[in-house]
Amino acid sequence: MAVSRWSILLSQLQANFLNMDAIEKLFPDAIRMRVEDIQQNNDVVQSLAAFQKYGNDQSPVAPSTGRVNHQRGGGFFSGVLTALTAVAVILLVYHWRSRESEHGLLVHKAVDKWTTEEVVLWLEQLGPWASLYRDRFLSERVNGRLLLTLTEEEFSRAPYTIENSSHRRVILTELERVRALGVKPPQNLWEYKAVNPGRSLFLLYALKSSPRLGLLYLYLFDYTDCFLPFIHTICPLQENRSGEDIFTKLLDLREPTWKQWREFLVKYSFLPYQLIAEFAWDWLEVHYWTSRFLIVNAVLLSVLELFSFWRIWSRSELKTVPQRMWSHFWKVSTQGLFMAMFWPLIPQFVCNCLFYWALYFNPIINIDLVVKEVRRLETQVL
């Protein structure tokens, strides 16, 4: 059967070549005039050249040597994808192996049961400056029960002697949150995921597929816990740009100024993924590799969004923008409602797989999508 199919295919190709030769011999003048018309049209010539180049790049075998004809830059591109995939797999395995330790985080343990070491761990997570007071808390053997009784006056005198008023304010502000919650509030990505696994997965996909709607959700439904720290981090006050670390900004729950709102709304409207990249940039010291994956993914998503706008503009489809926006809003809202309804039925294993896939493997997929969009531009008629 296979031999007969190849025979039929070869016979068809031979017939096509014979027909082309016959047409060239019967109508030489018409073919010459058509070739001259095509050569005078620069747009058609450029398009044909682009298609020819694209076809040469896509050909798997070189006709003269019989060896594989790799695309220009294909080796480097494949190496980058392989390296990123390896890093993503390592991070995935690391966090997957440590998933059992999520139940031992302080966000799940009552503060009155904290040991001295856990109190010091809580203190050090407030910022690099907190290491100045580590030995003082250890020497006094401050456990969770004792921590709840401490006041600003006691922090300012011996044996703690926290003379810096800003440091005292941060410690007291965070201590008030601990007293109100009864546990340590989440202060990094993994603690937030441990406390809010469903919301973490939803925000991760929402900020990827629709960052504007995702940030709108934070403003409407998670203003105090997420949106205020977010806007204070990416749009800080001018006097705080060089003096405050990321943890101090997270504890600053003041209402944003008009200047902060103006900067945020401009970026929100035109560069929403830049907001995510700036937020991840401030977390480089806390989440070294994860923040870099988020920044790369934000850049790639911004490029893909520009390609989408370019396609709409080049095809004169601006009138369809309102319909596209409504369809996108309806799709995202439906997916969010569907997830909220069926979240209790989804196994935790599946949720973890989806979370880490979106976090570490989506940037690698988006690199391939950007390369395909660039190649598509080469074959597009100008």
Side-chain angles (χ1 to χ4, degrees), residues 47-114:
S47 299
L48 290 176
F51 276 111
Q52 181 66 30
K53 178 180 179 299
Y54 183 78
N56 293 335
D57 291 341
Q58 296 298 317
S59 59
V61 179
S64 58
T65 61
R67 298 179 180 178
V68 176
N69 183 22
H70 295 286
Q71 299 176 10
R72 185 176 58 183
F76 175 76
F77 177 66
S78 300
V80 171
L81 287 183
T82 303
L84 289 176
T85 304
V87 174
V89 171
I90 293 173
L91 290 172
L92 178 60
V93 171
Y94 170 76
H95 291 299
W96 183 254
R97 287 175 60 87
S98 62
R99 69 188 186 279
E100 297 179 355
S101 63
E102 288 186 356
H103 300 287
L105 295 174
L106 295 183
V107 293
H108 293 306
K109 188 173 183 180
V111 61
D112 56 357
K113 297 181 180 180
W114 288 1

Side-chain angles (χ1 to χ4, degrees), residues 12 88 102 132 179 193 204 208 229 231 290 294 297 352 354 367 373:
Q12 290 177 349
E102 288 186 356
L132 298 173
R179 287 170 179 163
K193 176 183 176 294
L204 188 60
K208 174 183 70 70
I231 192 173
T290 302
L294 287 173
N297 198 29
N352 286 333
L354 293 175
I367 290 177
E373 290 290 342

Side-chain angles (χ1 to χ4, degrees), residues 27-312:
F27 308 100
D29 296 336
I31 293 177
R32 186 180 66 258
M33 293 176 61
R34 182 58 179 164
V35 171
E36 292 176 355
D37 292 340
I38 292 175
Q39 292 177 348
Q40 292 176 1
N41 192 327
N42 293 329
D43 293 340
V44 176
V45 172
Q46 292 178 3
S47 299
L48 290 176
F51 276 111
Q52 181 66 30
K53 178 180 179 299
Y54 183 78
N56 293 335
D57 291 341
Q58 296 298 317
S59 59
V61 179
S64 58
T65 61
R67 298 179 180 178
V68 176
N69 183 22
H70 295 286
Q71 299 176 10
R72 185 176 58 183
F76 175 76
F77 177 66
S78 300
V80 171
L81 287 183
T82 303
L84 289 176
T85 304
V87 174
V89 171
I90 293 173
L91 290 172
L92 178 60
V93 171
Y94 170 76
H95 291 299
W96 183 254
R97 287 175 60 87
S98 62
R99 69 188 186 279
E100 297 179 355
S101 63
E102 288 186 356
H103 300 287
L105 295 174
L106 295 183
V107 293
H108 293 306
K109 188 173 183 180
V111 61
D112 56 357
K113 297 181 180 180
W114 288 1
T115 63
T116 301
E117 290 73 17
E118 290 172 335
V119 170
V120 172
L121 176 62
W122 164 81
L123 179 67
E124 290 179 333
Q125 290 184 352
L126 298 182
W129 50 267
S131 60
L132 298 173
Y133 315 110
R134 180 180 185 277
D135 294 337
R136 303 174 193 179
F137 277 73
L138 285 175
S139 61
E140 294 299 315
R141 301 198 61 79
V142 179
N143 58 13
R145 292 180 179 272
L146 180 57
L147 178 66
L148 293 175
T149 64
L150 296 177
T151 62
E152 183 177 6
E153 183 180 356
E154 291 175 296
F155 280 132
S156 60
R157 65 178 186 228
Y160 305 104
T161 318
I162 303 178
E163 299 178 353
N164 191 308
S165 60
S166 298
H167 295 175
R168 286 201 310 271
R169 181 173 64 87
V170 172
I171 293 176
L172 289 171
T173 302
E174 184 63 13
L175 184 56
E176 288 300 322
R177 298 180 65 192
V178 170
R179 287 170 179 163
L181 295 175
V183 293
K184 175 183 179 294
Q187 290 180 320
N188 57 54
L189 175 62
W190 313 122
E191 290 181 346
Y192 187 85
K193 176 183 176 294
V195 177
N196 306 290
R199 186 184 299 173
S200 301
L201 183 61
F202 170 76
L203 289 176
L204 188 60
Y205 276 90
L207 293 175
K208 174 183 70 70
S209 59
S210 183
R212 296 173 181 86
L213 291 179
L215 294 175
L216 181 62
Y217 168 84
L218 291 180
Y219 175 78
L220 295 176
F221 302 105
D222 208 350
Y223 182 78
T224 302
D225 293 336
C226 289
F227 186 81
L228 276 182
F230 182 80
I231 192 173
H232 279 297
T233 301
I234 59 177
C235 303
L237 294 174
Q238 187 67 32
E239 60 269 19
N240 293 336
R241 289 187 182 274
S242 59
E244 292 187 349
D245 53 46
I246 179 62
F247 298 97
T248 307
K249 296 173 185 176
L250 285 176
L251 297 176
D252 190 353
L253 299 181
R254 293 176 296 174
E255 287 296 322
T257 63
W258 281 110
K259 184 177 181 180
Q260 289 175 287
W261 276 115
R262 184 172 63 250
E263 180 182 353
F264 171 79
L265 290 175
V266 171
K267 296 178 180 178
Y268 173 85
S269 302
F270 301 101
L271 297 170
Y273 292 111
Q274 181 179 339
L275 297 176
I276 302 173
E278 290 180 3
F279 189 78
W281 180 265
D282 284 333
W283 284 87
L284 287 177
E285 296 182 358
V286 182
H287 301 295
Y288 184 81
W289 282 107
T290 302
S291 294
R292 281 160 173 77
F293 269 80
L294 287 173
I295 293 171
V296 171
N297 198 29
V299 173
L300 294 172
L301 289 170
S302 298
V303 174
L304 290 174
E305 187 176 61
L306 291 176
F307 277 124
S308 299
F309 288 142
W310 169 251
R311 282 198 302 271
I312 294 174

